[in-house]
Amino acid sequence: MSDDGNRDDYVRRLVDEDALHAYLEDELGPKSTFAVERHPAGHSNETLFVTWGDRELVLRRPPPGETAETAHDVLREYRVMDALQQTPVPLPETVLACENHDIVGSDFYLMSRVAGDVLREAEPERFGNPEARERVGYELVDTLAAIHEVDLDSVGLAEFGRAEGYTRRQVDRWGKQLAWAFERTSEVRPVPVLRAVGEWLDENAPDEHPESLVHGDYKLDNVLYAPGTPPDLAAVFDWEMSALGDPRADLGWMLSYWRDADDPEPAIPELETRFMERAGYPTRRELVDRYEERTGIEFEHQRFYRALAVYKLAGLGEMFFRRYLEGNSDDPMYPKMEARVPALGDRAKRIIEGEEPL
């Protein structure tokens, strides 16, 4: 079968268009225009663009096949986005959430599509100057600060989870995610360095930490900048890992994707863009300084949080590799994890040993 045929088969696994059409007609009223298109970017939950009359919507659902525990909880993602609609955190408008698996075969939700650019592969030409580049970085970290400053009681998220002990639970959870992936992937190749990193993280997890809402996957290509200049961060996406927890874990995760000009070659070049190495973009240290100034939260134990971020990224990569081996994804990134995950393990080890400083 051709690649186009394989992609068509995969899209049919993601959505029953007739069932979705009937659902939208019931919920939003009949429209003469209906179209569905899979968005190829992203490597976790699936994203589909849906046209319903004159409305441009986005449908989010988990990937098909077995997934590890709560790694793809799209209804949790919807709940937090819906709660934050009236806060300073920029978000798409939430539309519908559905747990009836008869529609697309899984939980899913719909939100409005937002115009602008996700800075994933390249820097927009309109941002190609030092002033705009600096603002891109500071908008990113200022928005993270806004997430961490949300009044949980006022938005109804005080019971969204248990913030106490979040950091140690993260170490435990991602160890289990890796173990789930290793059940299958270790038949192809083991990754002993990740076991050593996991042991170090367990021994060095802070016993106490600040508490706030955390995004869980906050990075440059999970936000969108509005059209025009100066750079204006217009929407934060991908809330599936959000929780009450340790804000410093979010900061460490964001920094794991942010490159300085003298950094070594990236462990996953397909995921780590390099344009922020150009003149004008803030350094990681400058982003941390701005965050600390905005929030009053000191980035203590920075080696731990940065190594934890890379460990989690390795866990995601290894889960991707398992899904590839089991035939549950057509994402061309997934088979590359055979080599990329061990490289991430080496990077985490370098951070722990002080060979990749902040």
Side-chain angles (χ1 to χ4, degrees), residues 35-298:
V36 179
E37 176 188 1
R38 183 190 177 217
H39 182 44
H43 305 283
S44 185
N45 281 330
E46 293 285 354
T47 300
L48 300 129
F49 294 143
V50 178
T51 301
W52 186 252
D54 60 358
R55 299 182 70 173
E56 295 295 330
L57 306 174
V58 177
L59 185 152
R60 291 270 288 170
R61 60 149 292 163
E66 182 185 357
T67 59
E69 296 183 359
T70 60
H72 303 274
D73 191 344
V74 294
L75 295 187
R76 182 180 184 84
E77 182 173 55
Y78 181 89
R79 177 187 172 189
V80 69
M81 289 176 63
D82 198 48
L84 298 179
Q85 290 291 299
Q86 304 304 317
T87 71
V89 180
L91 290 160
E93 178 189 2
T94 48
V95 178
L96 292 167
C98 181
E99 57 186 353
N100 181 355
H101 290 200
D102 291 338
I103 310 300
V104 303
S106 69
D107 296 339
F108 71 95
Y109 74 87
L110 289 151
M111 60 184 169
S112 295
R113 189 171 176 180
V114 182
D117 290 299
V118 174
L119 277 58
R120 179 172 287 115
E121 297 178 355
E123 168 191 83
E125 185 176 346
R126 68 184 186 276
F127 295 168
N129 61 79
E131 294 77 17
R133 290 168 177 169
E134 180 182 66
R135 178 153 174 161
V136 165
Y138 288 154
E139 283 272 299
L140 183 69
V141 77
D142 288 353
T143 301
L144 181 62
I147 293 170
H148 295 162
E149 292 167 347
V150 166
D151 184 324
L152 299 171
D153 288 316
S154 69
V155 298
L157 291 176
E159 304 301 322
F160 192 53
R162 180 167 59 91
E164 182 182 357
Y166 171 89
T167 308
R168 184 163 295 282
R169 290 198 305 275
Q170 283 283 290
V171 176
D172 293 342
R173 169 176 290 182
W174 286 96
K176 291 175 182 176
Q177 305 281 45
L178 274 165
W180 176 83
F182 285 155
E183 289 174 1
R184 179 66 177 83
T185 62
S186 60
E187 300 169 8
V188 178
R189 54 94 183 93
V191 192
V193 66
L194 283 175
R195 300 188 187 280
V197 169
E199 290 172 1
W200 185 90
L201 291 170
D202 186 62
E203 293 169 1
N204 289 273
D207 292 326
E208 297 182 353
H209 58 74
E211 298 178 1
S212 73
L213 176 67
V214 295
H215 180 277
D217 193 14
Y218 191 83
K219 54 194 174 80
L220 185 60
D221 67 352
N222 273 342
V223 305
L224 177 143
Y225 289 82
T229 56
D232 176 29
L233 201 159
V236 180
F237 302 121
D238 291 4
W239 292 82
E240 67 192 85
M241 304 302 292
S242 58
L244 304 189
D246 184 347
R248 294 181 299 196
D250 263 354
L251 182 58
W253 182 257
M254 184 193 79
L255 294 172
S256 72
Y257 284 89
W258 192 272
R259 293 184 57 82
D260 287 353
D262 58 352
D263 281 349
E265 291 296 308
I268 306 184
E270 299 86 354
L271 292 181
E272 295 182 53
T273 53
R274 304 187 64 165
F275 56 79
M276 71 282 292
E277 298 175 17
R278 298 171 185 167
Y281 282 105
T283 64
R284 285 190 296 269
R285 181 71 260 177
E286 288 170 333
L287 292 176
V288 168
D289 289 346
R290 179 142 178 144
Y291 177 84
E292 291 180 336
E293 180 181 352
R294 278 289 310 271
T295 64
I297 298 171
E298 185 177 351

Side-chain angles (χ1 to χ4, degrees), residues 303 306-307 310 347-356:
R303 281 191 306 150
R306 293 172 58 226
V310 178
R347 182 186 176 197
K349 186 171 181 287
R350 290 195 301 270
I351 291 171
I352 288 169
E353 295 177 350
E355 297 174 8
E356 283 196 24

